[in-house]
Amino acid sequence: MKNQNKPNLKNQVKTAIITGICGQDGSYLAELLLGKGYRIIGIDKDLHKAFNLSVLGAGSIELVQLDIQDQSEIAAILSRYKPVEIYNYAAYSSGEGMFDDPVAITEVNGVAVTRILQAIYQVDKNIRFCQASSSEMFGQSPQETPQSEKTPFQPRSPYGAAKLYAHSMIQIYRQHYGLFACSAILFNHESPRRGLNFVTKKIVHEAVRIKLGLIKEFSLGNLDVRRDWGFAGDYVRAMWLMLQQPHGDDYVIATGQTHSVKELCEIVFGYLGLDYRDYVRKDASAWRPTESAQLVGDSAKAKKQLGWEPEMEFRQMVKMMVDTDLRSHTHQAKKNE
């Protein structure tokens, strides 16, 4: 005779915790999981800056404030909401801020991840965890190109070093403590929700302002620097796929193609009917102290084991960013009339 009290797991709503939910990646993941019927607990230190969540609909996410460096508070959140999955985007961002505050970066991007892992171990070892890791762990001059999960790490910034510490702890908690913990080694990924401290957003933002007659020119550093740029929506989908596998593992998530800052300028300004050479001024002081050279990812493992492929092409993504900024500026102008 069947046990009538056995719960119907198929009809249970999955609960996921997303830290850093107000950022670019957090908001795209929230959008993805809402479409899959998840209950979402969103955590961010700046809940008043939740403009990226406005497109998702009011009341669709339960927002919670949390000090990610408070071990007992993290454990309490896990006990209260009982998530089946946790996605961690809480971190100081890369871009222009990788050297700004080494101690704080180490605490938030590195040690806080260990606190989350330890809270999972104490509260419920069945919780699946995915960390937004970074290609910056490979450093300025990678030992091989393209970079895969087997490429040696040699970070050259506090940001990269902190991410590598977190990456190492994830492997330890997976191998020694038996947690389902994954590290998504994300290469550069952009979208209309990207912050202005990233060169892609800066170029789009300033080009639109030039088109609208708000400014006449702006400065950039090295236009020959190349990046492996993908779409944030594609990358968070890869992270979700990672937590649906039989076992936790680490994966490089990238497009496998690079584009120069110059090419980015050509696409953005060309789409606006302008020539970037008339408006972009080179500024050597804007160069990073240590530029990451030829970072390009090999996602063969993710493609084979996860069935993941990037869906949005670079030029399409850039045009979407321009269109969004144009609409935003036009809307703001009408509000100010």
Side-chain angles (χ1 to χ4, degrees):
M1 182 176 179
K2 293 184 178 181
N3 184 358
Q4 300 297 320
N5 295 321
K6 186 177 181 179
N8 186 350
L9 297 179
K10 291 184 178 180
N11 294 330
Q12 287 187 348
V13 175
K14 285 186 175 182
T15 297
I17 288 179
I18 304 175
T19 69
I21 194 170
C22 296
Q24 170 189 256
D25 294 1
S27 66
Y28 275 107
L29 179 65
E31 189 172 11
L32 175 71
L33 297 189
L34 285 173
K36 296 182 180 298
Y38 278 71
R39 176 198 183 200
I40 298 175
I41 310 301
I43 293 173
D44 205 292
K45 64 178 181 179
D46 295 320
L47 293 181
H48 62 285
K49 296 181 180 180
F51 51 87
N52 275 338
L53 305 181
S54 60
V55 298
L56 308 183
S60 56
I61 299 169
E62 299 174 58
L63 296 177
V64 178
Q65 284 190 300
L66 168 68
D67 180 359
I68 201 167
Q69 298 185 62
D70 187 324
Q71 182 74 41
S72 61
E73 194 172 337
I74 297 171
I77 291 291
L78 301 191
S79 297
R80 177 179 178 183
Y81 292 104
K82 297 178 173 54
V84 295
E85 297 171 1
I86 298 176
Y87 300 85
N88 183 43
Y89 298 108
Y92 281 80
S93 66
S94 53
E96 297 175 353
M98 293 197 296
F99 291 84
D100 287 352
D101 192 338
V103 174
I105 288 173
T106 300
E107 287 286 346
V108 175
N109 293 14
V111 178
V113 176
T114 307
R115 298 188 191 283
I116 297 174
L117 292 167
Q118 183 63 18
I120 292 172
Y121 180 72
Q122 292 174 340
V123 175
D124 182 359
K125 290 178 62 177
N126 293 315
I127 297 173
R128 298 188 170 199
F129 175 78
C130 192
Q131 161 75 356
S133 196
S134 172
S135 60
E136 289 292 337
M137 297 188 301
F138 294 117
Q140 180 186 7
S141 302
Q143 293 186 18
E144 62 183 11
T145 298
Q147 296 84 48
S148 71
E149 296 81 3
K150 296 180 180 180
T151 303
F153 297 118
Q154 46 184 15
R156 291 294 184 268
S157 69
Y159 175 89
K163 286 288 188 178
L164 179 54
Y165 169 78
H167 178 82
S168 301
M169 293 305 294
I170 286 166
Q171 293 182 327
I172 290 170
Y173 271 83
R174 183 171 67 230
Q175 295 166 6
H176 183 76
Y177 296 100
L179 296 192
F180 191 113
C182 303
S183 181
I185 306 172
L186 306 175
F187 280 66
N188 293 69
H189 48 288
E190 317 300 319
S191 76
R193 302 175 194 175
R194 183 52 112 180
L196 278 171
N197 58 323
F198 290 83
V199 68
T200 48
K201 182 66 172 183
K202 176 181 178 180
I203 291 170
V204 169
H205 182 76
E206 300 295 64
V208 167
R209 293 176 70 202
I210 288 172
K211 178 66 175 180
L212 297 177
L214 301 176
I215 60 173
K216 295 183 178 180
E217 62 181 32
F218 70 101
S219 299
L220 286 175
N222 189 354
L223 300 186
D224 294 324
V225 169
R226 303 185 69 86
R227 293 288 185 269
D228 184 336
W229 277 306
F231 173 54
D234 286 336
Y235 286 35
V236 301
R237 175 168 49 84
M239 292 181 70
W240 176 77
L241 287 169
M242 289 166 63
L243 294 196
Q244 313 314 308
Q245 304 307 305
H247 307 286
D249 206 346
D250 306 325
Y251 298 86
V252 164
I253 305 301
T255 69
Q257 301 177 358
T258 64
H259 302 272
S260 68
V261 175
K262 176 183 176 181
E263 183 181 351
L264 175 61
C265 288
E266 290 173 342
I267 295 173
V268 171
F269 280 86
Y271 188 49
L272 292 169
L274 303 171
D275 187 333
Y276 83 93
R277 292 172 294 185
D278 296 330
Y279 307 99
V280 175
R281 304 292 173 252
K282 292 185 179 181
D283 179 7
S285 66
W287 291 27
R288 286 187 186 179
T290 55
E291 279 288 354
S292 298
Q294 290 303 302
L295 283 173
V296 54
D298 177 1
S299 295
K301 180 179 176 180
K303 292 175 181 179
K304 180 180 180 180
Q305 297 188 15
L306 306 179
W308 177 83
E309 291 274 0
E311 295 180 354
M312 184 171 292
E313 188 267 337
F314 178 70
R315 185 176 293 267
Q316 177 188 2
M317 177 188 70
V318 173
K319 290 181 177 180
M320 179 176 66
M321 293 175 69
V322 174
D323 288 338
T324 302
D325 254 40
L326 275 171
R327 287 195 299 269
S328 176
H329 277 87
T330 302
H331 177 70
Q332 187 62 42
K334 291 181 178 179
K335 285 180 62 177
N336 295 335
E337 288 179 355

